[in-house]
Amino acid sequence: MATKQTLQNDDINEKKRLELYNTQYLIRVAEQRAYDLFLENLVKGTSHLSLGQEAIASGFANAMQENDKSFCTYRGHAHTLARGASVVGVLGELMQRDCGLMRGKGGSMHLTDTSKGVMGSYAIIGAHLPMAVGSAWRAQYLGHDDVATVFFGDGTTNIGAFHEALNYAVVYKLPVVFVCENNNYMEYTHIESITAVKNPAADRASAYGLESIIIDGNDADEVYRTAQKAYEKARAGEGPSLIECKTYRQSGHSRADPGAYRPKGELEHWKKNNDPITRYRERLIEFGIKQNVINDIEDNVKDLVDQATEKAKNSPVPPEDILTTNVYANGGWAWRN
Amino acid sequence: MAQLTYREAVAAAIAQEMERDETVAFIGEDVARAGGVFKATVGLFDKFGPRRVIDTPISEQAILGAAMGAAMTGMRPIAEIMFSDFLAVCWDFVANEMSKSRYMSDGQLKCPLVVRTGNGGGSRFGAQHSQSIENWAMAIPGIKVVAPSTPADVKGLLAASIRDNDPVIFFEHKSLYAVKGEVPEGEYVDTLGTAKVVREGKDATIIALALMVPRAIAAADKLMQEHGIDIEVVDLRTLVPLDMKTISKSVSKTGRLFTVEENPRLCGWGAEIVSIVVDELFWDLDGPAVRITTPHIPLPAADNLEDIAIPSVDRIYNKILEVLK
Ligand SMILES: Cc1ncc(C[n+]2csc(CCOP(=O)(O)OP(=O)(O)O)c2C)c(N)n1
Ligand SMILES: [Mg+2]
């Protein structure tokens, strides 16, 4: 066996690599915690985990600038955390506690933290693509330099809103980045069995005059570099990008899904040979980063998530009087005098 | 009689109709191999195969549009829209297309199809997966609207919907899927447009629908036990056509009307019933007609909040007591 050579720092410097790892690891631990809390019956309603898809959230968020906007789906914990939202706020919302990002009013599918640029998580497939287009329109219109990124799944490419949003964004050259997380499944159905083309997003790019971009979504470096390019292009006024990230969802579609539809061995294969966290940890070592530095990151993340879990568990449920707040802009719900 | 769950009754009705009519076919997202996200269509794919039970892409407009095109040209399709909230993304087909084609063509076109959909709250799914939208559907001329509360009614009314020659929106309540009940065995078809008196009484009438029916019955039982107030409960079962005969008979007898509605208050189905009662039976009323509804708010996710938003047994009980005292 050839001895491994230590790689030299490249365009992604050591500091950034550690950030990319930190974000991925935080998502991994927080999502696993969400799952454990679900088993403890503390997560109410539903929840959709991004286990196995951490590199995409990390790569994009770490390439964003502070005023950039993220639009997420119900599978949005990862993107919300990646933008720096509080872990207590995220876990608290999953547990529908008063400390949750939206005080339990939205629930796990609608995580929102506008202070971090997370413009919401949406549970009607396709809806948030045109919204991201609108955010990009506002940026262009008012001369702001932020870019909107919209994350969605492979299955979402089959709804009309996907196609309308792409055409619209291209026509007006809007600063929006469309990120398809192709995790192979639309709920319990394999994407290839219900889609006309093999690469559900990239193969449609040409229909809208866009470059067909397919990347390894389990490689945070590749995601990060691709994101940087897309943001540069958008900020230069050269319009939208559509990026298809190949990945794999290691958890069930939602909380109760045992994944009976997966071919035997498929999940194990991805976990063993193509896990983004394992791969990135190996990458760090290849770049000569010391094991103790990696351990420190991991220990800090675990502490953070442990503390957040305790805080969320100790938080009360939301008070009843918020049932009728914030229906209208005056803070209330009155519809008659 | 067999003991079936509400969800098993769905599959039983579809199987019954598919067996007798080859033009009945069923499409939707994850409905075939996975048996539906609510497991309401388990077994149909194994029984009838991929020609008749079809997993579709996430393309609600195509699902309803295709169902409509097939219905116009000789089939009796059943289309599933997983959560009723998602009907909003394909509402064109409900509001502008399937409901109007017969009229616009002066009877040349027909649209015998069923849209099945999971409706209602109680699952802590939040504002986009919990709505009761039966009143949206009721507002559109040209479609029929069904919302059963028991497994037997699911089987009988779904079969009737499939055989009906108009488009039917069939609301299944997500919080009732696990409920068990007696269901007639063998071929069983009920009649659309018929309400049912599910509890007889003389002091007041409650009109309820879907999940609100068992809650209304429980509240009525409690009012009887604790205060000797004798409430009649009418399960509406279908909103269109509306069985005003059954409603009028009950209200004329008791002189008091309450509606228990899960839809948010404004333009909820009860408003229409109250207005008809006030119009046609005013002199039979002994007091105000009162609507008990979800407040006019989006639904919250948190369980403690959702539980106070949707009418509960206690809220129904307390309100009726307050009004009748
Ligand atoms: C309009 C609409 N149709 C259907 C659904 C139900 N649904 C929720 S998630 C999902 C699958 C989405 O698959 P994909 O886009 O690949 O995203 P993933 O869940 O894999 O992240 C479906 C069909 C929905 N939420 N909205
Ligand atoms: Mg997917």
Side-chain angles (χ1 to χ4, degrees):
Chain A
M1 226 173 72
T3 48
K4 278 201 178 155
Q5 280 208 317
T6 302
L7 299 173
Q8 292 302 308
N9 257 326
D10 51 13
D11 57 308
I12 304 174
N13 60 35
E14 179 169 326
K15 182 163 170 282
K16 200 66 188 183
R17 275 224 163 76
L18 293 179
E19 283 168 10
L20 282 162
Y21 186 63
N22 187 67
T23 308
Q24 290 182 81
Y25 198 74
L26 171 66
I27 298 167
R28 173 63 52 96
V29 176
E31 289 286 61
Q32 268 166 351
R33 180 60 46 86
Y35 187 70
D36 294 342
L37 290 168
F38 158 59
L39 293 179
E40 282 180 62
N41 238 342
L42 288 170
V43 171
K44 313 219 185 88
T46 184
S47 81
H48 303 77
L49 306 179
S50 289
L51 290 170
Q53 304 181 204
E54 297 90 343
I56 300 166
S58 175
F60 276 94
N62 279 294
M64 288 181 199
Q65 61 185 41
E66 221 176 290
N67 62 348
D68 283 341
K69 309 282 186 274
S70 300
F71 290 81
C72 317
T73 69
Y74 50 89
R75 199 179 303 290
H77 317 166
H79 299 292
T80 306
L81 288 167
R83 294 302 304 276
S86 110
V87 185
V88 185
V90 170
L91 291 180
E93 191 63 32
L94 267 54
M95 294 161 71
Q96 301 182 346
R97 301 298 171 100
D98 200 29
C99 70
L101 285 177
M102 302 93 74
R103 303 187 69 186
K105 281 170 85 167
S108 75
M109 295 198 284
H110 301 296
L111 295 182
T112 305
D113 186 350
T114 55
S115 73
K116 305 287 182 193
V118 182
M119 303 311 294
S121 304
Y122 299 89
I124 307 293
I125 295 290
H128 63 318
L129 282 85
M131 291 182 217
V133 167
S135 174
W137 170 44
R138 179 267 319 150
Q140 187 188 61
Y141 183 86
L142 295 176
H144 297 166
D145 74 341
D146 61 290
V147 176
T149 307
V150 53
F151 302 96
F152 53 91
D154 41 278
T156 303
T157 63
N158 290 324
I159 201 158
F162 167 82
H163 299 270
E164 295 185 25
L166 279 171
N167 183 62
Y168 202 104
V170 171
V171 165
Y172 299 107
K173 268 199 164 183
L174 296 172
V176 50
V177 179
F178 297 91
V179 181
C180 176
E181 301 185 55
N182 182 353
N183 61 11
N184 292 279
Y185 289 96
M186 177 224 108
E187 285 186 347
Y188 317 141
T189 297
H190 200 280
I191 190 63
E192 284 183 20
S193 70
I194 44 156
T195 310
V197 289
K198 187 160 187 310
N199 305 298
D203 291 352
R204 267 93 170 236
S206 66
Y208 302 103
L210 289 169
E211 186 189 347
S212 163
I213 303 173
I214 299 177
I215 64 169
D216 178 352
N218 283 6
D219 179 343
D221 284 354
E222 190 172 336
V223 175
Y224 175 70
R225 289 191 181 105
T226 310
Q228 276 185 315
K229 268 193 4 208
Y231 292 145
E232 272 165 34
K233 176 182 166 192
R235 277 189 245 282
E238 285 161 26
S241 304
L242 170 64
I243 299 161
E244 178 167 338
C245 308
K246 300 284 190 194
T247 186
Y248 191 80
R249 155 165 72 63
Q250 293 183 4
S251 44
H253 166 71
S254 61
R255 53 183 281 166
D257 166 28
Y261 45 84
R262 300 184 203 271
K264 211 169 156 261
E266 185 183 78
L267 174 63
E268 294 67 29
H269 171 81
W270 280 83
K271 276 187 165 177
K272 191 158 165 278
N273 303 311
N274 198 349
D275 178 71
I277 309 282
T278 313
R279 283 176 63 190
Y280 211 76
R281 201 188 280 119
E282 283 164 11
R283 170 94 36 89
L284 294 179
I285 303 277
E286 279 168 17
F287 274 90
I289 291 166
K290 296 281 183 302
Q291 187 64 50
N292 65 326
V293 176
I294 300 173
N295 292 347
D296 281 352
I297 289 181
E298 296 183 353
D299 290 345
N300 284 338
V301 163
K302 284 181 196 149
D303 280 351
L304 178 70
V305 175
D306 283 346
Q307 283 166 21
T309 307
E310 280 316 297
K311 270 201 190 145
K313 279 185 179 173
N314 291 325
S315 170
V317 298
E320 293 190 352
D321 60 8
I322 70 167
L323 177 68
T324 50
T325 59
N326 282 323
V327 178
Y328 296 108
N330 65 3
W333 69 298
W335 51 270
R336 59 168 285 180
N337 59 15
Chain B
M1 290 276 183
Q3 278 280 329
L4 291 188
T5 59
Y6 189 96
R7 61 162 56 85
E8 286 166 344
V10 171
I14 297 175
Q16 170 184 303
E17 295 308 301
M18 287 184 92
E19 256 156 26
R20 66 181 282 279
D21 182 353
E22 205 212 346
T23 69
V24 177
F26 174 40
I27 61 176
E29 295 161 21
D30 277 324
V31 299
R33 287 166 186 82
V37 295
F38 302 116
K39 299 280 171 253
T41 56
V42 171
L44 295 175
F45 178 77
D46 290 340
K47 203 167 191 173
F48 298 101
R51 178 169 163 259
R52 300 184 67 191
V53 181
I54 299 164
D55 282 322
T56 66
I58 315 179
S59 306
E60 280 81 6
Q61 298 203 64
I63 293 170
L64 289 199
M68 200 182 146
M72 289 160 68
T73 55
M75 285 179 66
R76 286 186 179 274
I78 305 165
E80 176 177 305
I81 299 297
M82 195 184 288
F83 286 71
S84 62
D85 316 63
F86 309 164
L87 273 165
V89 306
C90 48
W91 200 239
D92 175 45
F93 291 92
V94 180
N96 293 322
E97 314 299 347
M98 65 178 71
S99 51
K100 301 201 171 26
S101 55
R102 178 182 292 274
Y103 184 82
M104 291 191 301
S105 68
D106 196 26
Q108 296 178 67
L109 293 170
K110 61 185 168 147
C111 224
L113 63 85
V114 178
V115 180
R116 291 182 43 245
T117 189
N119 194 46
S123 307
R124 297 40 175 126
F125 285 163
Q128 296 185 337
H129 279 69
S130 306
Q131 297 174 85
S132 289
I133 66 149
E134 59 274 11
N135 60 327
W136 303 1
M138 192 189 190
I140 296 168
I143 49 173
K144 292 180 176 167
V145 184
V146 182
S149 73
T150 66
D153 284 357
V154 166
K155 184 174 174 187
L157 293 174
L158 183 50
S161 300
I162 296 167
R163 293 186 195 187
D164 199 84
N165 288 328
D166 286 311
V168 179
I169 314 291
F170 193 86
F171 290 102
E172 295 162 15
H173 202 292
K174 299 196 285 291
S175 291
L176 290 173
Y177 275 126
V179 168
K180 270 200 162 172
E182 299 273 311
V183 178
E185 275 166 296
E187 186 167 307
Y188 176 54
V189 188
D190 205 328
T191 310
L192 301 187
T194 55
K196 240 189 212 167
V197 176
V198 289
R199 186 189 192 286
E200 294 206 21
K202 58 180 180 13
D203 296 330
T205 297
I206 301 182
I207 314 279
L209 187 78
L211 179 66
M212 297 299 103
V213 174
R215 293 189 182 180
I217 294 171
D221 288 346
K222 208 172 146 189
L223 284 161
M224 187 63 181
Q225 272 162 24
E226 296 181 6
H227 301 276
I229 299 174
D230 191 12
I231 305 274
E232 180 146 303
V233 179
V234 177
D235 180 349
L236 215 42
R237 307 198 316 151
T238 70
L239 289 176
V240 181
L242 185 64
D243 182 4
M244 269 317 292
K245 275 200 185 126
T246 301
I247 296 171
S248 301
K249 195 169 155 216
S250 178
V251 175
S252 294
K253 178 173 85 173
T254 65
R256 296 303 295 255
L257 168 63
F258 295 85
T259 65
V260 182
E261 305 162 52
E262 192 176 336
N263 52 213
R265 180 160 185 110
L266 293 196
C267 307
W269 55 260
E272 188 57 47
I273 289 175
V274 168
S275 94
I276 298 171
V277 165
V278 168
D279 189 352
E280 298 176 3
L281 303 173
F282 186 74
W283 305 109
D284 289 347
L285 287 174
D286 298 328
V290 174
R291 295 176 58 211
I292 301 167
T293 74
T294 297
H296 203 62
I297 56 169
L299 281 171
D303 55 354
N304 66 318
L305 298 182
E306 191 180 29
D307 285 343
I308 56 172
I310 297 172
S312 61
V313 174
D314 283 346
R315 176 133 73 92
I316 301 165
Y317 168 90
N318 288 329
K319 187 71 193 178
I320 292 178
L321 203 55
E322 177 198 318
V323 171
L324 291 187
K325 276 211 150 165

